[in-house]
């Protein structure tokens, strides 16, 4: 069987973790089986539709590097792939169901439907949905009324007294009494637009979708869809309803838990690779002892048997960890390119928005080697490396003082550090710098930590910083010495004042 699956979003919101998980699993399933992955826009809800959401859809998946084989933007044998361009088809198929007696015209007005809803509510009746009033109208009468222009919808005639069965890949056999299925739902609205159910089933059939992988929240619609396939005389696709994605409190992941839209993660400096890696693990397990996967590796490993039944829990801390891991896989040049716009926006190279000069660009790339291990998100880079571009603010004198020492001692230590600044900045690498400075500490009978601490504060502006030796190499001897001198002046003034 040719595997064909699809991602069928309604562009009524920004792409979020749940949607991307559905798309990714469909993509991986198709790729793992040599099949085809299709994008279909379910854009029949014209009230909630917004072009910005459609743009966001394309933008998100271009960024993620996930490409469909067929879709509104690529075309394909089942074009068009936007439901708003297929309405004539839905009308045709709804008409066929009416012809075959499997669907009927309903002339009930919105007011009537609302009235019965309120009456039932007042009577505390458990009944919901349509009361099937128009089901009894003879086809001839119905056709006449419709031809005379009376407004109507088309409703599915659910075969009563039967049971609908289907198999879900993950959940097993599912059966549902037809009498409990949404009573005769609307397929075609009075404006001629299809409902989700009609458009979805017609398209999955016409687009020859073999597998429907979708979120578990759609499970309750599936018995109805299966009834529709049978009413048309079509074979239903295979179904696999994916485990829900929850927040850590066990409730469905939503904005209450934090960022959910891909845009937000992206702005924060999440890598597409990390997001894919983490999202691919939401509800699936691949191999023991391996956490980091590329999209390509996932394509080779995915299978429906690796899905978990239990809901997946979205853990922001874990995503952060994955992001850090993927950041570590980037070269200096790649990481610099990824971090650049955060630095430009933050004003790292002058005024906010200023592009780097050639020299700044060089420093920026070198800085990546220092900061790479210390980033969870790209957006953190500018603040961490700012001291390599502008002069750091002068820290308070106490910051320079090692434990069990005083200000006078800090000045002594920094003077000593000044003597070693030039050779340290000239060392070819950390190892050489370390050998050199250890020797000097020994010769001068000072603890290495005590020697380096005031120097670090003078150079980087903080006790906790990126690696000192690397910073010295990047700054160069002259800039570094100027900072040490400035700090010494500052400390000496303090010392005078306190004596
Ligand atoms: N348009 C539906 C959605 O927004 C599609 C559900 C399905 O995959 O059948 O998720």
């Amino acid at each position: 069987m040719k595997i064909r699956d699809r991602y069928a979003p309604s562009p009524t919101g920004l792409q979020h973790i749940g949607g991307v998980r559905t798309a990714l699993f469909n993509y991986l399933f198709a790729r793992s089986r040599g099949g085809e992955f299709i994008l279909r826009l379910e854009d029949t809800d014209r009230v909630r539709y917004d072009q910005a959401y459609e743009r966001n859809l394309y933008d998100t998946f271009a960024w993620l590097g996930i490409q469909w084989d067929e879709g509104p933007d690529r075309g394909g044998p089942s074009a068009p792939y936007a439901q708003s361009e297929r309405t004539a088809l839905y009308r045709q198929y709804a008409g066929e169901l009416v012809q075959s007696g499997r669907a009927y015209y309903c002339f009930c007005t919105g007011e009537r439907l609302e009235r019965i809803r309120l009456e039932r509510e007042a009577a505390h009746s458990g009944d919901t949905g349509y009361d099937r009033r128009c089901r009894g109208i003879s086809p001839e009468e119905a056709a006449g009324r419709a031809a005379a222009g009376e407004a109507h919808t088309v409703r599915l005639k659910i075969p009563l007294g039967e049971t609908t069965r289907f198999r879900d890949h993950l959940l097993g056999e599912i059966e549902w009494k037809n009498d409990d299925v949404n009573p005769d739902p609307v397929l075609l609205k009075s404006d001629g637009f299809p409902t989700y159910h009609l458009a979805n089933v017609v398209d999955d059939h016409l687009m020859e979708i073999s597998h429907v992988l979708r979120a578990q929240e759609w499970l309750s619609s599936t018995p109805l869809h299966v009834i529709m396939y049978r009413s048309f005389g079509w074979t239903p696709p295979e179904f696999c309803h994916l485990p829900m994605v929850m927040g850590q409190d066990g409730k469905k992941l939503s904005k209450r838990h934090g960022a959910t839209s891909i845009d937000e993660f992206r702005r924060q400096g999440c890598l597409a690779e990390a997001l894919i890696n983490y999202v691919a693990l939401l509800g699936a397990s691949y191999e023991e002892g391996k956490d980091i996967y590329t999209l390509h590796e996932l394509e080779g490993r995915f299978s429906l048997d690796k899905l978990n039944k239990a809901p997946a829990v979205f853990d922001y801390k874990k995503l952060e960890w994955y992001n850090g891991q993927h950041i570590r896989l980037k070269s200096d040049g790649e990481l610099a390119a990824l971090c650049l716009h955060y630095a430009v926006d933050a004003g790292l190279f002058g005024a906010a928005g200023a592009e780097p000069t050639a020299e700044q660009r060089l420093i920026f790339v070198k800085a990546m080697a220092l900061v790479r291990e210390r980033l969870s998100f790209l957006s953190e880079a500018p603040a961490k490396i700012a001291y390599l571009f502008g002069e750091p603010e002068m820290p308070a004198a106490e910051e320079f003082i090692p434990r069990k020492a005083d200000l006078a001692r800090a000045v002594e230590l920094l003077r000593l550090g000044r003597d070693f600044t030039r050779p340290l900045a000239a060392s070819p690498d950390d190892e050489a710098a370390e050998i050199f400075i250890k020797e000097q500490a020994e010769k001068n009978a000072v603890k290495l930590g005590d020697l380096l601490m005031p120097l670090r504060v003078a150079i980087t502006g903080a006790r906790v910083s990126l690696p000192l030796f690397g910073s010295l190499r990047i700054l160069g001897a002259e800039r570094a010495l100027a900072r040490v001198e400035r700090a010494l002046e500052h400390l000496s003034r303090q010392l005078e004042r306190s004596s």
Side-chain angles (χ1 to χ4, degrees):
M1 176 186 28
K2 181 96 197 139
I3 303 285
R4 280 171 66 83
D5 63 12
R6 66 355 179 234
Y7 176 46
S10 305
T12 54
L14 296 173
Q15 291 299 304
H16 55 82
I17 292 292
V20 165
R21 203 269 311 253
T22 301
L24 180 62
F25 281 18
N26 275 287
Y27 169 88
L28 293 175
F29 180 59
R31 286 287 166 277
S32 69
R33 301 280 296 271
E36 280 143 11
F37 170 54
I38 290 138
L39 175 74
R40 182 172 73 227
L41 268 192
E42 301 215 325
D43 58 347
T44 52
D45 183 345
R46 300 314 284 178
V47 179
R48 290 171 60 219
Y49 169 85
D50 193 322
Q51 211 188 5
Y53 296 139
E54 191 177 329
R55 269 201 307 273
N56 171 259
L57 166 74
Y58 294 123
D59 198 37
T60 301
F61 285 95
W63 176 69
L64 287 169
I66 294 179
Q67 204 171 55
W68 30 85
D69 304 299
E70 298 167 27
D73 54 339
R74 293 178 69 95
S78 308
Y81 291 89
Q83 290 187 329
S84 57
E85 294 170 32
R86 300 170 63 84
T87 49
L89 274 172
Y90 310 129
R91 278 196 288 276
Q92 176 197 328
Y93 281 96
E96 280 181 19
L97 281 188
V98 174
Q99 283 301 315
S100 64
R102 312 248 177 205
Y104 60 91
Y105 292 143
C106 169
F107 301 95
C108 293
T109 59
E111 293 83 64
R112 175 172 187 271
L113 298 176
E114 181 58 11
R115 201 173 58 240
I116 52 174
R117 194 182 67 76
L118 291 174
E119 280 168 11
R120 283 171 171 173
E121 217 172 77
H124 301 291
S125 140
D127 294 340
T128 54
Y130 184 50
D131 63 357
R132 300 194 171 99
R133 184 194 201 206
C134 294
R135 185 170 167 134
I137 300 176
S138 75
E140 297 72 31
E141 182 194 331
R145 284 168 67 176
E150 191 173 340
H152 60 276
T153 59
V154 174
R155 288 184 183 273
L156 182 69
K157 193 184 277 181
I158 299 230
L160 297 175
E162 297 177 13
T163 298
T164 295
R165 293 186 181 82
F166 63 92
R167 214 181 85 76
D168 180 277
H169 228 282
L170 201 56
L171 307 170
E173 298 299 325
I174 294 189
E175 51 170 68
W176 213 292
K177 287 202 174 67
N178 285 7
D179 294 35
D180 295 337
V181 173
N182 178 3
D184 296 2
V186 172
L187 300 181
L188 204 63
K189 296 183 259 185
S190 53
D191 59 6
F193 265 82
T195 57
Y196 154 69
H197 304 296
L198 177 66
N200 189 270
V201 164
V202 166
D203 284 348
D204 280 344
H205 173 72
L206 295 180
M207 295 181 180
E208 296 178 28
I209 298 301
S210 63
H211 288 73
V212 168
L213 274 54
R214 63 181 166 202
Q216 236 165 62
E217 68 202 50
W218 297 100
L219 181 65
S220 59
S221 298
T222 307
L224 170 63
H225 294 183
V226 172
I227 294 173
M228 289 169 68
Y229 282 103
R230 301 213 168 113
S231 304
F232 279 119
W234 300 336
T235 310
E238 292 192 28
F239 291 101
C240 181
H241 290 88
L242 305 172
M244 299 284 281
V245 182
M246 306 294 199
Q248 281 184 299
D249 56 0
K251 304 216 171 84
K252 190 181 161 193
L253 188 69
S254 75
K255 290 200 184 103
R256 280 183 308 108
H257 296 103
T260 56
S261 82
I262 304 305
D263 264 6
E264 280 171 88
F265 290 110
R266 191 174 161 185
R267 270 200 302 274
Q268 200 185 352
C270 219
L271 293 179
E273 293 89 335
L275 206 67
I276 287 180
N277 191 158
Y278 184 50
V279 168
L281 296 169
L282 290 174
S285 336
Y286 301 86
E287 264 169 54
E288 285 293 323
K290 181 167 162 73
D291 297 304
I292 304 300
Y293 294 98
T294 63
L295 183 61
H296 185 69
E297 285 173 325
L298 291 164
E299 288 173 20
R301 283 175 168 81
F302 187 87
S303 90
L304 295 184
D305 301 331
K306 292 183 179 154
L307 297 182
N308 309 327
K309 256 192 210 170
V313 176
F314 187 85
D315 180 342
Y316 287 88
K317 280 280 161 219
K318 274 199 184 147
L319 174 62
E320 190 177 317
W321 183 83
Y322 278 97
N323 208 46
Q325 298 302 309
H326 280 274
I327 285 176
R328 284 159 184 66
L329 296 175
K330 298 284 175 198
S331 70
D332 291 355
E334 286 167 338
L335 193 55
L338 288 161
C339 290
L340 185 66
H341 77 93
Y342 295 99
V344 168
D345 292 352
L348 198 66
F349 309 119
E355 294 288 334
T357 61
E359 194 190 341
Q360 285 173 324
R361 204 175 275 275
L362 231 64
I363 295 179
F364 191 64
V365 175
K366 287 186 191 159
M368 295 301 128
L370 301 188
V371 80
R372 184 189 289 104
E373 298 280 328
R374 290 164 182 80
L375 287 183
S376 301
F377 294 103
L378 301 175
S379 55
E380 298 160 357
K384 288 192 194 292
I385 62 173
Y387 71 96
L388 294 172
F389 295 88
E391 295 302 305
E393 230 174 84
M394 185 61 69
E398 303 79 71
E399 295 296 312
F400 289 84
I401 306 175
R403 252 169 24 105
K404 294 196 208 146
D406 58 11
L407 190 54
R409 177 74 181 141
V411 171
E412 269 173 40
L413 287 165
L414 187 53
R415 285 204 181 115
L416 195 57
R418 176 177 58 188
D419 298 343
F420 307 134
T421 299
R422 194 175 289 281
L424 282 176
S427 302
D429 53 35
D430 282 354
E431 213 177 49
E434 201 163 317
I435 294 174
F436 166 76
I437 199 70
K438 272 190 179 151
E439 264 175 30
Q440 302 307 321
E442 238 168 76
K443 252 192 227 161
N444 290 278
V446 290
K447 279 200 216 139
L448 184 61
D450 288 357
L451 174 59
L452 291 181
M453 204 276 252
L455 187 59
R456 176 187 297 279
V457 178
I459 298 296
T460 69
R463 281 175 178 237
V464 179
S465 75
L466 300 188
L468 178 61
F469 303 147
S471 303
L472 286 169
R473 286 198 297 276
I474 292 176
L475 284 169
E478 301 313 321
R479 284 181 76 193
L481 278 169
R483 288 186 187 186
V484 176
E485 293 298 353
R486 216 162 60 90
L488 276 171
E489 271 168 40
H490 168 70
L491 295 183
S492 306
R493 268 198 307 276
Q494 291 288 320
L495 201 57
E496 271 167 33
R497 231 175 273 160
S498 58
S499 62

